[in-house]
Amino acid sequence: MNNAYVRMPLYTDIWTRISKWQNKHGVSNAQLAADLRVTEKTLKIYDKSAHHLTLEKIDNLLTAENISLSDLMSERVRTSITRHEKYFVWGAHQKKTISEK
C-alpha cells in the first residue's frame, strides 16, 4: 500500500497548534515560556523538534491561560489519510438529536 500521506507525530501537531494559538492571540514568547514554565531557549528547541514537550508543560499552559485542550486542538482536524485532504470542524460531525430529525 503506497499512499502520499506522511504521519505527523502528535508532539509536532500539538506544538504547531500551540504556535498557531500563540500567534492568533498575540501571546509573546516570554509569556508563552512563562505559561509552559520553560525558558525562551526551550521554545526555540521546540520549534526544531518538540519531542521533549510533556503533558505537564501542556497542562501548565492550559491552566495559566484558562483554556481547554479541545480549545487548543479544535481549530481544524485532518480526517483523511488519503491524497484527498478533507477537514471538518469539531461538532459538525455529530449526529442530529431526536428533535432535529
Side-chain angles (χ1 to χ4, degrees):
M1 185 171 167
N2 185 12
N3 64 22
Y5 178 75
V6 177
R7 184 183 171 276
M8 182 187 306
L10 182 60
Y11 56 82
T12 302
D13 187 36
I14 292 172
W15 183 248
T16 300
R17 291 173 189 274
I18 289 172
S19 297
K20 287 180 182 178
W21 173 86
Q22 176 190 15
N23 291 332
K24 182 178 179 181
H25 295 283
V27 176
S28 69
N29 281 344
Q31 182 62 44
L32 181 61
D35 290 347
L36 290 167
R37 296 186 190 155
V38 298
T39 64
E40 287 187 57
K41 182 179 176 182
T42 303
L43 296 181
K44 292 178 184 177
I45 294 170
Y46 288 164
D47 287 337
K48 292 177 185 174
S49 177
H51 66 274
H52 291 296
L53 182 64
T54 64
L55 293 174
E56 177 187 16
K57 302 301 179 199
I58 297 166
D59 187 56
N60 291 342
L61 172 66
L62 300 177
T63 302
E65 293 292 334
N66 195 26
I67 58 175
S68 70
L69 184 60
S70 61
D71 292 339
L72 188 65
M73 300 298 289
S74 68
E75 302 247 348
R76 289 198 161 236
V77 178
R78 184 177 299 224
T79 61
S80 176
I81 59 172
T82 64
R83 294 176 198 204
H84 307 291
E85 294 183 11
K86 297 179 182 177
Y87 295 94
F88 74 97
V89 177
W90 283 108
H93 67 283
Q94 294 175 343
K95 294 180 181 178
K96 293 181 180 179
T97 62
I98 294 174
S99 61
E100 293 177 298
K101 290 183 180 180

